[in-house]
Amino acid sequence: MTDFAATKAMFHLPEGMIYLDGNSLGPLPKATAARVARAVTDEWGEKVITGWNRAGWMAQPTALGDRIGRLIGAEPGHVVLGDTLSIKVYQALAAAIDLVPDRKVILTDNGNFPSDIYMAEGLIKSLGRGHELRIVDPEDVEHHINDDLAVLMLTQVDYRTGRLHDMKALTEKAHAAGALTCWDLAHTAGAMAVDLQGCNADFATGCTYKYLNAGPGAPAFIYVAPRHIDNCQPALSGWLGHEAPFAFDLDYRPGTGIERMRVGTPPVLQMAALDASLDIWDQVDMDALRSASIALTEQFIAGVEARCPQLTLASPRDPHGRGSQVSFAFADGYAAMQACIARNVIGDFRAPDIMRFGFCPLFIDAGDVDAAVDVIADVMDNRLWNDPVYKQVARVT
């Protein structure tokens, strides 16, 4: 699929809205409501508990995992779905740490999503084995990869600026130093092609409610490289990660392969939503998607910079050095974004001063970009952001 006019018709977007926040929550595919309704009425309603077998619910985490795997360059059978991204980050990092027991340093950057850092801090505290979390500037990561490093834990695309880490180069450098890698693909999966196998990545995690359009609260995924899967020990030894969950043994034995990284009960209705979304993604050519994304972000940057001198580009200038988002810095960025939202151009704000806009060619086109620039320019030129109503900070920004 390279015809993104056709994919745009597959999404529900409110009339008149220009939605530039798919990097935070993807919009609704038109097929999702019927697919979820079918799961509710035909599966849950008619099959009740027999749906675990008759509707294939129990197999969905790995079946959907393989479909996501195509988008991220994973080997078949090495991605599983379930739980939340924070839980999957915890699992991946804990497993990686155990594989390098003689080292104590975990390296990340201050552009990593705070939740990943929180999970690392909590894991270190609960282990009590003297691990150190070292946090550096994104540009300095490669200079801190040395022989005392256990795990390099990074989000591939910076959630604030869109800065893109070079996964292949950093993974190679980490491996040369004897360390392992954990990559968070929250802002990468569905935004651009990823090649976990080609980059020789060790572990990866990601969510499905952003570019993959599975809806609010949709489950996360975890990838474990084939060379590690039979040796890594699950830190969260959940029932469904057991070798034989329905034997109800009192002692935990990890399951075979990626199944051991399962923890809790699969979210059946949310998986139905993801199933509908992946019907679109199964058709998408990821290289074409990336080319279209770059064209849209370049057009947007050029338009905003030509008309809004008050805004400062916070994303990398080089399109190959950023993901599928563009961020601008502005001291009153929160209020300015609220003024844009009030005029049906939807982006979001990240403290302290970042106005953030996401671009997914599946439902955004060049006409949308021009219209969005018109609105942003109007907000800035006429100081519409100075209205006190836009300065009242909501719980979600």
Side-chain angles (χ1 to χ4, degrees), residues 75 78 171 175 200-202 223-231:
E75 300 90 339
H78 286 273
T171 298
H175 287 172
N200 207 25
D202 299 294
Y223 162 84
V224 182
R227 62 186 176 278
H228 297 311
I229 190 59
D230 291 326
N231 297 318

Side-chain angles (χ1 to χ4, degrees), residues 2 11 24 40 47 74 94 96 103 116 136 167 230 238 258 342 351 357:
T2 59
F11 288 87
S24 191
V40 171
K47 296 179 175 65
R103 298 190 179 198
D116 290 17
V136 302
M167 178 186 288
D230 291 326
I258 197 65
F357 303 90

Side-chain angles (χ1 to χ4, degrees), residues 85 89 107-117 138 141 152-167 170 182-189 204-207 210 325 356:
L85 180 52
V89 168
L107 177 64
T108 191
D109 67 57
N110 53 31
N112 202 350
F113 195 65
S115 182
D116 290 17
I117 294 174
V141 166
L152 177 64
M153 181 188 76
L154 296 172
T155 296
Q156 189 180 14
V157 171
D158 188 314
Y159 77 101
R160 298 169 306 176
T161 67
R163 183 188 186 278
L164 175 65
H165 277 300
D166 186 332
M167 178 186 288
L170 290 175
C182 291
W183 290 96
D184 184 335
L185 308 180
H187 290 273
T188 316
T205 57
C207 58
K210 299 182 189 295
Q325 71 180 67
R356 192 175 70 156

Side-chain angles (χ1 to χ4, degrees), residues 203-225:
F203 297 86
T205 57
C207 58
T208 62
Y209 53 80
K210 299 182 189 295
Y211 292 100
L212 296 182
N213 310 100
F221 62 85
I222 186 169
Y223 162 84
V224 182

Side-chain angles (χ1 to χ4, degrees), residues 115-143:
S115 182
D116 290 17
I117 294 174
Y118 304 158
M119 297 309 289
E121 290 173 336
L123 175 61
I124 288 170
K125 185 177 180 180
S126 63
L127 289 176
R129 301 203 313 243
H131 288 90
E132 171 195 349
L133 181 63
R134 195 170 292 170
I135 305 174
V136 302
D137 292 335
E139 298 80 6
D140 294 335
V141 166
E142 63 178 314
H143 305 302

